[in-house]
Amino acid sequence: MTTQAQAPQHDLPGKPTAVSRTTLSHIMTGNDTNLLGTVHGGVIMKLVDDAAGAVAGRHSGGPAVTASMDEMVFLEPVRVGDLVHVKAQVNWTGRTSMEVGVRVLAERWNESAPATQVASAYLVFTAVDESGRPRPVPPVIPETERDKRRWQEAQIRRTHRLARRRAIKELRDRRAAEGIDD
């Protein structure tokens, strides 16, 4: 499978993955904790959305809005005093949408031990114009073998997202046709 064979047609010149890749770092404080004394998952999700939004806006050259968040996975708790690094990049682009992959790493602020991956997520953003309507985005050009793998995996996730959406719509249409009001 080649990247070009399955990429949507674009009129805009492509941008390499590295152009929009970014890292957002934040130290966790007592204000970020949940009832268990660890950092609230919603705080991490906000950082993920912020970093992904910056990447999507950078890649598309303007505003982009979160369309969906897939597979937010929490692997380890984050603690007060952890320095959190949220790394994001565009994995795949469609005509007006982009999948952004995000990895969240944490390290103790006062230790030199390597950072540990604590979460990951995939978000879909839609580029919008000043009226809030979808606008075209440049294709992403995978640069490394890892980028190519991420592009291919994003293609699979997109196929699953569309199939899931179609199956749910068909089920709801069938239930409505049978007179079942949910």
PDB file of all heavy atoms in Angstrom, residues 150-170:
ATOM      1  N   ARG A 150       2.196   5.463  10.979  1.00  0.00           N
ATOM      2  CA  ARG A 150       1.113   6.232  11.599  1.00  0.00           C
ATOM      3  C   ARG A 150       0.069   6.631  10.559  1.00  0.00           C
ATOM      4  O   ARG A 150      -1.127   6.617  10.844  1.00  0.00           O
ATOM      5  CB  ARG A 150       1.671   7.465  12.304  1.00  0.00           C
ATOM      6  CG  ARG A 150       2.422   7.130  13.567  1.00  0.00           C
ATOM      7  CD  ARG A 150       2.984   8.372  14.212  1.00  0.00           C
ATOM      8  NE  ARG A 150       3.607   8.033  15.482  1.00  0.00           N
ATOM      9  CZ  ARG A 150       4.413   8.824  16.137  1.00  0.00           C
ATOM     10  NH1 ARG A 150       4.703  10.024  15.664  1.00  0.00           N
ATOM     11  NH2 ARG A 150       4.939   8.442  17.282  1.00  0.00           N
ATOM     12  N   TRP A 151       0.505   7.001   9.362  1.00  0.00           N
ATOM     13  CA  TRP A 151      -0.420   7.366   8.284  1.00  0.00           C
ATOM     14  C   TRP A 151      -1.311   6.165   7.938  1.00  0.00           C
ATOM     15  O   TRP A 151      -2.525   6.296   7.813  1.00  0.00           O
ATOM     16  CB  TRP A 151       0.363   7.835   7.056  1.00  0.00           C
ATOM     17  CG  TRP A 151      -0.489   8.471   6.005  1.00  0.00           C
ATOM     18  CD1 TRP A 151      -0.737   9.798   5.859  1.00  0.00           C
ATOM     19  CD2 TRP A 151      -1.215   7.815   4.958  1.00  0.00           C
ATOM     20  NE1 TRP A 151      -1.575  10.004   4.789  1.00  0.00           N
ATOM     21  CE2 TRP A 151      -1.885   8.806   4.221  1.00  0.00           C
ATOM     22  CE3 TRP A 151      -1.366   6.479   4.583  1.00  0.00           C
ATOM     23  CZ2 TRP A 151      -2.694   8.517   3.129  1.00  0.00           C
ATOM     24  CZ3 TRP A 151      -2.167   6.184   3.494  1.00  0.00           C
ATOM     25  CH2 TRP A 151      -2.818   7.189   2.793  1.00  0.00           C
ATOM     26  N   GLN A 152      -0.690   4.992   7.799  1.00  0.00           N
ATOM     27  CA  GLN A 152      -1.451   3.787   7.463  1.00  0.00           C
ATOM     28  C   GLN A 152      -2.422   3.404   8.582  1.00  0.00           C
ATOM     29  O   GLN A 152      -3.577   3.046   8.320  1.00  0.00           O
ATOM     30  CB  GLN A 152      -0.494   2.634   7.160  1.00  0.00           C
ATOM     31  CG  GLN A 152       0.277   2.847   5.871  1.00  0.00           C
ATOM     32  CD  GLN A 152       1.386   1.837   5.686  1.00  0.00           C
ATOM     33  OE1 GLN A 152       1.911   1.258   6.637  1.00  0.00           O
ATOM     34  NE2 GLN A 152       1.760   1.608   4.430  1.00  0.00           N
ATOM     35  N   GLU A 153      -1.969   3.482   9.826  1.00  0.00           N
ATOM     36  CA  GLU A 153      -2.855   3.164  10.953  1.00  0.00           C
ATOM     37  C   GLU A 153      -4.007   4.164  11.035  1.00  0.00           C
ATOM     38  O   GLU A 153      -5.137   3.790  11.345  1.00  0.00           O
ATOM     39  CB  GLU A 153      -2.069   3.155  12.261  1.00  0.00           C
ATOM     40  CG  GLU A 153      -1.115   1.988  12.370  1.00  0.00           C
ATOM     41  CD  GLU A 153      -0.208   2.058  13.589  1.00  0.00           C
ATOM     42  OE1 GLU A 153      -0.271   3.065  14.340  1.00  0.00           O
ATOM     43  OE2 GLU A 153       0.569   1.113  13.783  1.00  0.00           O
ATOM     44  N   ALA A 154      -3.746   5.438  10.756  1.00  0.00           N
ATOM     45  CA  ALA A 154      -4.797   6.459  10.757  1.00  0.00           C
ATOM     46  C   ALA A 154      -5.838   6.158   9.691  1.00  0.00           C
ATOM     47  O   ALA A 154      -7.040   6.356   9.903  1.00  0.00           O
ATOM     48  CB  ALA A 154      -4.188   7.849  10.538  1.00  0.00           C
ATOM     49  N   GLN A 155      -5.397   5.661   8.553  1.00  0.00           N
ATOM     50  CA  GLN A 155      -6.306   5.267   7.468  1.00  0.00           C
ATOM     51  C   GLN A 155      -7.250   4.162   7.964  1.00  0.00           C
ATOM     52  O   GLN A 155      -8.452   4.189   7.682  1.00  0.00           O
ATOM     53  CB  GLN A 155      -5.431   4.782   6.324  1.00  0.00           C
ATOM     54  CG  GLN A 155      -5.873   4.808   4.935  1.00  0.00           C
ATOM     55  CD  GLN A 155      -6.570   6.029   4.418  1.00  0.00           C
ATOM     56  OE1 GLN A 155      -6.400   7.167   4.847  1.00  0.00           O
ATOM     57  NE2 GLN A 155      -7.392   5.796   3.466  1.00  0.00           N
ATOM     58  N   ILE A 156      -6.724   3.212   8.719  1.00  0.00           N
ATOM     59  CA  ILE A 156      -7.541   2.123   9.277  1.00  0.00           C
ATOM     60  C   ILE A 156      -8.545   2.693  10.283  1.00  0.00           C
ATOM     61  O   ILE A 156      -9.723   2.347  10.260  1.00  0.00           O
ATOM     62  CB  ILE A 156      -6.638   1.054   9.944  1.00  0.00           C
ATOM     63  CG1 ILE A 156      -5.811   0.328   8.872  1.00  0.00           C
ATOM     64  CG2 ILE A 156      -7.478   0.066  10.760  1.00  0.00           C
ATOM     65  CD1 ILE A 156      -4.671  -0.510   9.431  1.00  0.00           C
ATOM     66  N   ARG A 157      -8.078   3.575  11.176  1.00  0.00           N
ATOM     67  CA  ARG A 157      -8.993   4.171  12.151  1.00  0.00           C
ATOM     68  C   ARG A 157     -10.098   4.953  11.452  1.00  0.00           C
ATOM     69  O   ARG A 157     -11.260   4.898  11.858  1.00  0.00           O
ATOM     70  CB  ARG A 157      -8.227   5.074  13.131  1.00  0.00           C
ATOM     71  CG  ARG A 157      -7.492   4.301  14.205  1.00  0.00           C
ATOM     72  CD  ARG A 157      -6.876   5.218  15.234  1.00  0.00           C
ATOM     73  NE  ARG A 157      -5.814   6.028  14.696  1.00  0.00           N
ATOM     74  CZ  ARG A 157      -4.545   5.630  14.581  1.00  0.00           C
ATOM     75  NH1 ARG A 157      -4.190   4.422  14.998  1.00  0.00           N
ATOM     76  NH2 ARG A 157      -3.639   6.436  14.088  1.00  0.00           N
ATOM     77  N   ARG A 158      -9.764   5.667  10.393  1.00  0.00           N
ATOM     78  CA  ARG A 158     -10.764   6.435   9.637  1.00  0.00           C
ATOM     79  C   ARG A 158     -11.813   5.493   9.049  1.00  0.00           C
ATOM     80  O   ARG A 158     -13.015   5.741   9.132  1.00  0.00           O
ATOM     81  CB  ARG A 158     -10.106   7.241   8.524  1.00  0.00           C
ATOM     82  CG  ARG A 158     -11.125   8.010   7.697  1.00  0.00           C
ATOM     83  CD  ARG A 158     -10.437   8.828   6.615  1.00  0.00           C
ATOM     84  NE  ARG A 158     -11.389   9.644   5.905  1.00  0.00           N
ATOM     85  CZ  ARG A 158     -12.055   9.242   4.832  1.00  0.00           C
ATOM     86  NH1 ARG A 158     -11.877   8.028   4.335  1.00  0.00           N
ATOM     87  NH2 ARG A 158     -12.916  10.054   4.249  1.00  0.00           N
ATOM     88  N   THR A 159     -11.363   4.405   8.458  1.00  0.00           N
ATOM     89  CA  THR A 159     -12.287   3.419   7.890  1.00  0.00           C
ATOM     90  C   THR A 159     -13.224   2.889   8.969  1.00  0.00           C
ATOM     91  O   THR A 159     -14.434   2.777   8.754  1.00  0.00           O
ATOM     92  CB  THR A 159     -11.504   2.262   7.239  1.00  0.00           C
ATOM     93  OG1 THR A 159     -10.686   2.816   6.199  1.00  0.00           O
ATOM     94  CG2 THR A 159     -12.422   1.205   6.670  1.00  0.00           C
ATOM     95  N   HIS A 160     -12.699   2.602  10.141  1.00  0.00           N
ATOM     96  CA  HIS A 160     -13.527   2.098  11.250  1.00  0.00           C
ATOM     97  C   HIS A 160     -14.498   3.156  11.753  1.00  0.00           C
ATOM     98  O   HIS A 160     -15.650   2.851  12.064  1.00  0.00           O
ATOM     99  CB  HIS A 160     -12.642   1.596  12.388  1.00  0.00           C
ATOM    100  CG  HIS A 160     -11.971   0.311  12.060  1.00  0.00           C
ATOM    101  ND1 HIS A 160     -11.511  -0.562  13.008  1.00  0.00           N
ATOM    102  CD2 HIS A 160     -11.666  -0.270  10.885  1.00  0.00           C
ATOM    103  CE1 HIS A 160     -10.977  -1.620  12.437  1.00  0.00           C
ATOM    104  NE2 HIS A 160     -11.037  -1.450  11.146  1.00  0.00           N
ATOM    105  N   ARG A 161     -14.025   4.412  11.850  1.00  0.00           N
ATOM    106  CA  ARG A 161     -14.913   5.507  12.279  1.00  0.00           C
ATOM    107  C   ARG A 161     -16.103   5.631  11.337  1.00  0.00           C
ATOM    108  O   ARG A 161     -17.243   5.743  11.772  1.00  0.00           O
ATOM    109  CB  ARG A 161     -14.152   6.843  12.256  1.00  0.00           C
ATOM    110  CG  ARG A 161     -13.562   7.256  13.546  1.00  0.00           C
ATOM    111  CD  ARG A 161     -12.983   8.675  13.411  1.00  0.00           C
ATOM    112  NE  ARG A 161     -11.643   8.679  13.936  1.00  0.00           N
ATOM    113  CZ  ARG A 161     -10.522   8.711  13.226  1.00  0.00           C
ATOM    114  NH1 ARG A 161     -10.551   8.827  11.924  1.00  0.00           N
ATOM    115  NH2 ARG A 161      -9.366   8.675  13.826  1.00  0.00           N
ATOM    116  N   LEU A 162     -15.819   5.626  10.033  1.00  0.00           N
ATOM    117  CA  LEU A 162     -16.891   5.784   9.033  1.00  0.00           C
ATOM    118  C   LEU A 162     -17.840   4.587   9.056  1.00  0.00           C
ATOM    119  O   LEU A 162     -19.064   4.752   8.952  1.00  0.00           O
ATOM    120  CB  LEU A 162     -16.301   5.984   7.638  1.00  0.00           C
ATOM    121  CG  LEU A 162     -15.520   7.291   7.441  1.00  0.00           C
ATOM    122  CD1 LEU A 162     -14.854   7.302   6.068  1.00  0.00           C
ATOM    123  CD2 LEU A 162     -16.408   8.497   7.642  1.00  0.00           C
ATOM    124  N   ALA A 163     -17.307   3.379   9.192  1.00  0.00           N
ATOM    125  CA  ALA A 163     -18.151   2.179   9.245  1.00  0.00           C
ATOM    126  C   ALA A 163     -19.027   2.197  10.499  1.00  0.00           C
ATOM    127  O   ALA A 163     -20.218   1.863  10.437  1.00  0.00           O
ATOM    128  CB  ALA A 163     -17.285   0.925   9.217  1.00  0.00           C
ATOM    129  N   ARG A 164     -18.465   2.595  11.632  1.00  0.00           N
ATOM    130  CA  ARG A 164     -19.235   2.670  12.882  1.00  0.00           C
ATOM    131  C   ARG A 164     -20.354   3.697  12.750  1.00  0.00           C
ATOM    132  O   ARG A 164     -21.502   3.434  13.110  1.00  0.00           O
ATOM    133  CB  ARG A 164     -18.301   3.022  14.044  1.00  0.00           C
ATOM    134  CG  ARG A 164     -19.006   3.051  15.397  1.00  0.00           C
ATOM    135  CD  ARG A 164     -18.046   3.335  16.533  1.00  0.00           C
ATOM    136  NE  ARG A 164     -17.395   4.616  16.361  1.00  0.00           N
ATOM    137  CZ  ARG A 164     -16.075   4.805  16.400  1.00  0.00           C
ATOM    138  NH1 ARG A 164     -15.273   3.803  16.604  1.00  0.00           N
ATOM    139  NH2 ARG A 164     -15.563   6.008  16.248  1.00  0.00           N
ATOM    140  N   ARG A 165     -20.031   4.868  12.206  1.00  0.00           N
ATOM    141  CA  ARG A 165     -21.039   5.920  12.019  1.00  0.00           C
ATOM    142  C   ARG A 165     -22.165   5.441  11.095  1.00  0.00           C
ATOM    143  O   ARG A 165     -23.339   5.646  11.370  1.00  0.00           O
ATOM    144  CB  ARG A 165     -20.370   7.165  11.433  1.00  0.00           C
ATOM    145  CG  ARG A 165     -21.311   8.349  11.317  1.00  0.00           C
ATOM    146  CD  ARG A 165     -20.626   9.564  10.734  1.00  0.00           C
ATOM    147  NE  ARG A 165     -19.463   9.944  11.522  1.00  0.00           N
ATOM    148  CZ  ARG A 165     -18.377  10.513  11.029  1.00  0.00           C
ATOM    149  NH1 ARG A 165     -18.296  10.783   9.745  1.00  0.00           N
ATOM    150  NH2 ARG A 165     -17.385  10.833  11.813  1.00  0.00           N
ATOM    151  N   ARG A 166     -21.792   4.765  10.005  1.00  0.00           N
ATOM    152  CA  ARG A 166     -22.781   4.251   9.054  1.00  0.00           C
ATOM    153  C   ARG A 166     -23.671   3.183   9.705  1.00  0.00           C
ATOM    154  O   ARG A 166     -24.889   3.196   9.556  1.00  0.00           O
ATOM    155  CB  ARG A 166     -22.064   3.693   7.825  1.00  0.00           C
ATOM    156  CG  ARG A 166     -22.954   3.345   6.664  1.00  0.00           C
ATOM    157  CD  ARG A 166     -22.178   2.968   5.387  1.00  0.00           C
ATOM    158  NE  ARG A 166     -21.028   2.094   5.614  1.00  0.00           N
ATOM    159  CZ  ARG A 166     -19.747   2.482   5.571  1.00  0.00           C
ATOM    160  NH1 ARG A 166     -19.442   3.732   5.314  1.00  0.00           N
ATOM    161  NH2 ARG A 166     -18.772   1.621   5.793  1.00  0.00           N
ATOM    162  N   ALA A 167     -23.074   2.269  10.463  1.00  0.00           N
ATOM    163  CA  ALA A 167     -23.835   1.199  11.116  1.00  0.00           C
ATOM    164  C   ALA A 167     -24.819   1.772  12.138  1.00  0.00           C
ATOM    165  O   ALA A 167     -25.966   1.321  12.233  1.00  0.00           O
ATOM    166  CB  ALA A 167     -22.890   0.201  11.784  1.00  0.00           C
ATOM    167  N   ILE A 168     -24.392   2.766  12.901  1.00  0.00           N
ATOM    168  CA  ILE A 168     -25.281   3.385  13.891  1.00  0.00           C
ATOM    169  C   ILE A 168     -26.427   4.104  13.202  1.00  0.00           C
ATOM    170  O   ILE A 168     -27.589   3.990  13.607  1.00  0.00           O
ATOM    171  CB  ILE A 168     -24.487   4.328  14.818  1.00  0.00           C
ATOM    172  CG1 ILE A 168     -23.585   3.486  15.734  1.00  0.00           C
ATOM    173  CG2 ILE A 168     -25.413   5.223  15.629  1.00  0.00           C
ATOM    174  CD1 ILE A 168     -22.572   4.300  16.524  1.00  0.00           C
ATOM    175  N   LYS A 169     -26.140   4.818  12.117  1.00  0.00           N
ATOM    176  CA  LYS A 169     -27.193   5.519  11.379  1.00  0.00           C
ATOM    177  C   LYS A 169     -28.204   4.530  10.802  1.00  0.00           C
ATOM    178  O   LYS A 169     -29.412   4.732  10.894  1.00  0.00           O
ATOM    179  CB  LYS A 169     -26.603   6.362  10.254  1.00  0.00           C
ATOM    180  CG  LYS A 169     -27.662   7.162   9.499  1.00  0.00           C
ATOM    181  CD  LYS A 169     -27.065   7.958   8.367  1.00  0.00           C
ATOM    182  CE  LYS A 169     -28.059   8.762   7.586  1.00  0.00           C
ATOM    183  NZ  LYS A 169     -29.395   8.278   7.472  1.00  0.00           N
ATOM    184  N   GLU A 170     -27.702   3.435  10.241  1.00  0.00           N
ATOM    185  CA  GLU A 170     -28.604   2.411   9.685  1.00  0.00           C
ATOM    186  C   GLU A 170     -29.489   1.816  10.776  1.00  0.00           C
ATOM    187  O   GLU A 170     -30.684   1.608  10.570  1.00  0.00           O
ATOM    188  CB  GLU A 170     -27.797   1.312   8.985  1.00  0.00           C
ATOM    189  CG  GLU A 170     -27.173   1.770   7.680  1.00  0.00           C
ATOM    190  CD  GLU A 170     -26.183   0.760   7.103  1.00  0.00           C
ATOM    191  OE1 GLU A 170     -25.999  -0.334   7.698  1.00  0.00           O
ATOM    192  OE2 GLU A 170     -25.574   1.086   6.065  1.00  0.00           O
TER     193      GLU A 170
END
